[in-house]
Amino acid sequence: MHLGVISLFPEMYRAVADYGVTGRAVSQGRLVLNFWNPRDFAQDKHRTVDDRPYGGGPGMVMKVEPLQAAINAAKQQLGSDTKVIYLSPQGQVLDQQSLVTMSQRQSMIVIAGRYEGIDERLIASQIDEEWSIGDYVLSGGELASMVLIDGVTRLLPGVLGDEESAQQDSFMNGLLDHPHYTRPEQLDNQAVPSVLLGGDHEAIRKWRLKQSLGRTWLRRPDLLAMKTLSDEQTALLEEFIAEHGQ
Ligand SMILES: NC(=O)c1ccc(NCc2ccccc2N2CCOCC2)nc1
């Protein structure tokens, strides 16, 4: 996937470009990141990228002309039909399904807002989709866009190894993940569930599914309400509930 990033702080993106799964995806060319900094398109001597808001009040707005020029430059390289997305508290809240949809695109341009945001007329004319990573306020759109970049990149073909993508699936089935354990067998006087120490893979699969169902029931009943359970899942959840609080 070709991702164009429009940001005043491109260096921040080292967090996804240089580390871990996303860093590997970049080095393997599965994810291509290109950056355009509005400051490079500022015409004045001071390279101004913010401007005063009409109507007064605190804070500044991203200056239109450098931002528009950066968008144009990104579209020139990635194609004028490339979807432009904007991360803001006013966007639709992102979920795993939205990431799956986005991961199927060839390219995208992401705008990371700073100051109090961008001119509403640019949103109307330049932004195809406005997204939010959750109902809270950040100092800029960069971290929000990196959350999106990470979530989309993990879904690109070949990025996750086989075992990792299996783990990805456990989230993808709309349930919370089961607990994980590793050495030592005794930790702070707590043992590892014995089923995991045996080699009965079917029993382990059932135990993990039961834990996923039970945890989702306990912590995120809203997710469970959206799921149609198989007979096996229903039985395992009933077992979990029956054992809960005993
Ligand atoms: N939830 C999210 O996805 C999210 C995204 C961005 C973001 N901040 C950058 C920003 C971007 C656009 C508009 C306003 C702002 N803000 C600037 C600082 O003041 C508040 C408004 N915050 C939270």
Side-chain angles (χ1 to χ4, degrees):
M1 175 185 281
H2 280 242
L3 254 174
V5 175
I6 295 176
S7 166
L8 291 169
F9 301 118
E11 298 295 293
M12 286 180 72
Y13 289 81
R14 291 205 175 145
V16 288
D18 297 358
Y19 301 89
V21 167
T22 50
R24 196 171 65 213
V26 170
S27 53
Q28 291 171 346
R30 297 182 203 276
L31 171 69
V32 180
L33 291 174
N34 292 104
F35 297 92
W36 284 273
N37 185 338
R39 196 172 294 282
D40 297 333
F41 296 86
Q43 298 302 324
D44 65 305
K45 164 159 58 73
H46 300 291
R47 300 188 1 127
T48 310
V49 290
D50 61 341
D51 210 339
R52 292 172 47 241
Y54 282 123
M60 301 289 276
V61 179
M62 290 186 79
K63 187 172 173 61
V64 166
E65 178 261 338
L67 180 55
Q68 179 68 79
I71 295 170
N72 294 345
K75 284 193 162 181
Q76 195 153 25
Q77 173 148 339
L78 286 163
S80 56
D81 60 340
T82 302
K83 284 235 184 303
V84 181
I85 64 177
Y86 180 53
L87 279 300
S88 90
Q90 283 73 40
Q92 178 184 332
V93 178
L94 211 51
D95 65 4
Q96 190 66 25
Q97 188 47 52
S98 339
L99 293 176
V100 170
T101 306
M102 286 185 206
S103 69
Q104 279 143 19
R105 292 171 176 163
Q106 284 304 310
S107 61
M108 272 194 307
I109 292 168
V110 181
I111 299 179
R114 280 276 158 174
Y115 307 107
E116 296 310 306
I118 71 178
D119 189 294
E120 194 63 22
R121 292 164 296 175
L122 276 185
I123 295 178
S125 63
Q126 301 295 317
I127 305 293
D128 295 297
E129 298 174 0
E130 196 166 354
W131 289 98
S132 165
I133 61 166
D135 292 329
Y136 39 82
V137 175
L138 304 170
S139 318
E142 284 81 8
L143 289 175
S145 68
M146 280 186 258
V147 163
L148 184 148
I149 292 168
D150 187 297
V152 163
T153 302
R154 299 172 55 80
L155 295 168
L156 298 177
V159 169
L160 287 186
D162 291 345
E163 73 288 348
E164 288 163 313
S165 61
Q167 208 236 331
Q168 172 85 24
D169 293 345
S170 74
F171 278 101
M172 296 278 283
N173 66 9
L175 296 174
L176 300 185
D177 202 8
H178 56 73
H180 297 271
Y181 299 86
T182 187
R183 291 178 298 181
E185 271 194 42
Q186 290 292 338
L187 180 61
D188 306 331
N189 259 339
Q190 301 174 79
V192 172
S194 50
V195 66
L196 300 179
L197 301 175
D200 182 342
H201 297 291
E202 177 59 8
I204 290 168
R205 181 191 66 79
K206 280 199 164 79
W207 181 87
R208 286 174 170 167
L209 179 53
K210 179 174 169 179
Q211 292 300 315
S212 286
L213 288 157
R215 283 177 131 186
T216 310
W217 173 69
L218 285 171
R219 301 182 191 187
R220 293 294 306 278
D222 57 303
L223 293 180
L224 205 54
M226 292 195 306
K227 252 193 93 62
T228 309
L229 299 185
S230 68
D231 291 350
E232 178 188 48
Q233 290 169 339
T234 305
L236 287 170
L237 177 55
E238 281 167 1
E239 256 181 55
F240 184 97
I241 294 170
E243 290 156 13
H244 183 68
Q246 275 171 358

